[in-house]
Amino acid sequence: MIGKRLRLVRMNSGLSLRELEKRLGKLVTESALGKYERGEMMPTTKVLTALAETLGVTERFLSSQCDIEMERAAYRPGNALKKRDEAQVESMTLSFIERYLEIEELLNLKNRYWDAPRYCPFPISDLSETELAANALRNHWQVGKTPISYLAECFDTHGIKTVSLPLPDSVTGLTYWLRNKNDSLQVPMIIVNETHTGEWQRLALAEELGYLVLQVENHIDEEIAAERFAGAFLMPVEMLWEHIGTNRRQLSLGELFELKALFGTSVQSITDRCYDVGIINKVTYQRLLDQFEELDWLRTYNEPLPTPPDHSGRFKRLCLRGVSERLISKTTAVEWLDITEEQLTEEMEGIPA
């Protein structure tokens, strides 16, 4: 396991084997480093410590015997990653998910795995069926027809791990399956771009959820189906009817921003949703898109009144609970949460940041 992880974090750091040799002060040779990565040789304790310090990870991460592997759930041209970016995502995600799964196991939590509905993935032979799939999932999760205020938190509660990471600006979200070698563990992981505003993070979360729960048929475009599912999941049509009616010839920006505050989604996605469910016709829809184009909202993430970032605090709460119940040490909690001992004490005592 150390070989694969060493290669991941080395690539994450943008170092060649020769450059890593130099960073280590020639403690080991480039040839020996290559053997470590290929699993042909194991580093000594001294070398392991030096590797961890140089690469900015813990010895525990490098030497972990955990056999979790990451597999991309869906490849889409717009969300392609360069080799180095992929290595960075994998190393950061593996480090996080191991801690997450360990604290859940220590606390013996029943909801630590994916809470998939009985008929998931839902077969979709027509785009209108994405509405049924979204309703089925909402019913299964018992979230009703109201807006979901904290989407990442909701996902985490139902066994879909979420994390925000620095991604290229063109990448909104990524979905991976986390598996071990005997497939006894299968956990979905959704990663969103931490540099994007909350409304775009929420849309990315919902779209990635669509890729997880839909099985498209009849040559339906998978990306369009995921987008339609996201709109239905985030904005139940009954709520749109309640707030703006069932048939509109025009929608003002003021109304759209009120809906943005309600649903935590962009005015563009609200407009798309209104068109999809027939609240506005094609002429009104195009008029609004032209307006967004003039305001330069279609190609950028700079809509006014951005929604706060959508992230889950569940892992942090579990760590604090683990310390309180003496299942993990304060030293471990400090390492897992990447905070200082003073910050941990303040968190435990409820002192506002």
Side-chain angles (χ1 to χ4, degrees), residues 275 281-288:
Y275 177 60
N281 60 24
K282 190 172 183 178
V283 173
T284 302
Y285 178 61
Q286 189 59 55
R287 188 187 305 129
L288 286 166

Side-chain angles (χ1 to χ4, degrees), residues 99-337:
R99 304 169 183 181
Y100 207 145
L101 293 176
E102 185 171 347
I103 190 62
E104 287 186 319
E105 185 175 357
L106 288 170
L107 292 169
N108 194 28
L109 300 178
K110 294 180 180 179
N111 61 340
R112 61 183 183 269
Y113 298 135
W114 164 219
D115 181 20
R118 181 179 179 183
Y119 298 107
C120 184
F122 302 104
I124 302 296
S125 57
D126 185 272
L127 284 175
S128 64
E129 294 173 347
T130 57
E131 199 86 25
L132 299 176
N135 288 337
L137 187 58
R138 274 180 163 266
N139 290 336
H140 181 70
W141 283 358
Q142 298 181 348
V143 294
K145 299 290 186 180
T146 59
I148 301 173
S149 299
Y150 302 100
L151 201 58
E153 188 84 29
C154 177
F155 283 22
D156 272 2
T157 300
H158 295 284
I160 302 176
K161 302 299 184 283
T162 65
V163 66
S164 301
L165 295 178
L167 300 173
D169 192 58
S170 61
V171 179
T172 56
L174 303 167
T175 300
Y176 288 86
W177 279 105
L178 307 170
R179 294 187 172 97
N180 53 14
K181 291 181 179 178
N182 60 13
D183 277 348
S184 61
L185 170 73
Q186 293 195 52
V187 177
M189 179 91 190
I190 296 179
I191 303 167
V192 295
N193 198 326
E194 70 175 18
T195 66
H196 290 175
T197 56
E199 64 266 31
W200 298 107
Q201 290 178 344
R202 288 169 60 82
L203 186 61
L205 284 166
E207 286 183 1
E208 296 301 318
L209 179 62
Y211 288 107
L212 278 177
V213 303
L214 300 181
Q215 180 180 319
V216 298
E217 302 172 352
N218 294 351
H219 306 292
I220 292 176
D221 188 293
E222 187 178 21
E223 190 167 358
I224 294 175
E227 290 173 358
R228 290 285 291 269
F229 171 88
F233 188 79
L234 290 170
M235 297 168 276
V237 66
E238 295 87 351
M239 286 209 67
L240 287 172
W241 288 340
E242 177 185 346
H243 288 277
I244 59 174
T246 59
N247 188 3
R248 297 289 302 273
R249 294 183 179 180
Q250 178 64 308
L251 286 174
S252 67
L253 288 183
E255 286 181 283
L256 289 171
F257 278 109
E258 286 294 323
L259 293 174
K260 177 175 182 173
L262 178 66
F263 292 111
T265 54
S266 71
V267 295
Q268 296 174 55
S269 59
I270 295 167
T271 303
D272 290 341
R273 176 69 172 146
C274 288
Y275 177 60
D276 289 339
V277 298
I279 291 176
I280 58 176
N281 60 24
K282 190 172 183 178
V283 173
T284 302
Y285 178 61
Q286 189 59 55
R287 188 187 305 129
L288 286 166
L289 291 186
D290 291 342
Q291 190 173 5
F292 301 156
E293 176 73 29
E294 291 177 5
L295 294 167
D296 195 28
W297 293 353
L298 293 183
R299 294 184 299 273
T300 59
Y301 297 101
N302 65 345
E303 278 186 10
L305 305 177
T307 303
D310 193 308
H311 57 81
S312 172
R314 183 170 181 266
F315 174 66
K316 175 181 170 182
R317 292 196 305 276
L318 295 183
C319 288
L320 297 181
R321 176 179 167 185
V323 173
S324 295
E325 297 184 15
R326 299 186 179 181
L327 294 173
I328 62 172
S329 66
K330 289 185 176 181
T331 301
T332 298
V334 164
E335 176 191 328
W336 284 4
L337 294 172

Side-chain angles (χ1 to χ4, degrees), residues 5-161:
R5 298 202 168 195
L6 177 58
R7 185 172 184 274
L8 271 176
V9 293
R10 175 180 63 79
M11 291 180 64
N12 179 14
S13 301
L15 299 174
S16 67
L17 289 171
R18 180 168 296 181
E19 289 169 334
L20 181 54
E21 176 190 355
K22 291 180 181 179
R23 292 280 184 94
L24 291 166
K26 297 190 176 181
L27 178 64
V28 289
T29 65
E30 175 185 348
S31 175
L33 290 169
K35 290 181 179 180
Y36 297 156
E37 291 190 359
R38 294 190 297 272
E40 298 171 0
M41 193 166 73
M42 289 293 291
T44 64
T45 301
K46 180 179 180 181
V47 171
L48 181 64
T49 300
L51 283 169
E53 290 178 351
T54 301
L55 295 170
V57 295
T58 64
E59 293 177 47
R60 173 176 176 157
F61 174 73
L62 282 179
S63 59
S64 172
Q65 297 303 307
C66 185
D67 60 356
I68 294 176
E69 295 183 351
M70 296 175 59
E71 177 187 342
R72 283 284 291 272
Y75 284 90
R76 300 179 298 286
N79 276 2
L81 288 174
K82 295 180 180 178
K83 197 171 183 179
R84 178 179 172 182
D85 292 331
E86 188 88 39
Q88 181 182 34
V89 166
E90 286 196 31
S91 62
M92 294 176 74
T93 301
L94 282 173
S95 179
F96 170 72
I97 200 62
E98 284 181 9
R99 304 169 183 181
Y100 207 145
L101 293 176
E102 185 171 347
I103 190 62
E104 287 186 319
E105 185 175 357
L106 288 170
L107 292 169
N108 194 28
L109 300 178
K110 294 180 180 179
N111 61 340
R112 61 183 183 269
Y113 298 135
W114 164 219
D115 181 20
R118 181 179 179 183
Y119 298 107
C120 184
F122 302 104
I124 302 296
S125 57
D126 185 272
L127 284 175
S128 64
E129 294 173 347
T130 57
E131 199 86 25
L132 299 176
N135 288 337
L137 187 58
R138 274 180 163 266
N139 290 336
H140 181 70
W141 283 358
Q142 298 181 348
V143 294
K145 299 290 186 180
T146 59
I148 301 173
S149 299
Y150 302 100
L151 201 58
E153 188 84 29
C154 177
F155 283 22
D156 272 2
T157 300
H158 295 284
I160 302 176
K161 302 299 184 283

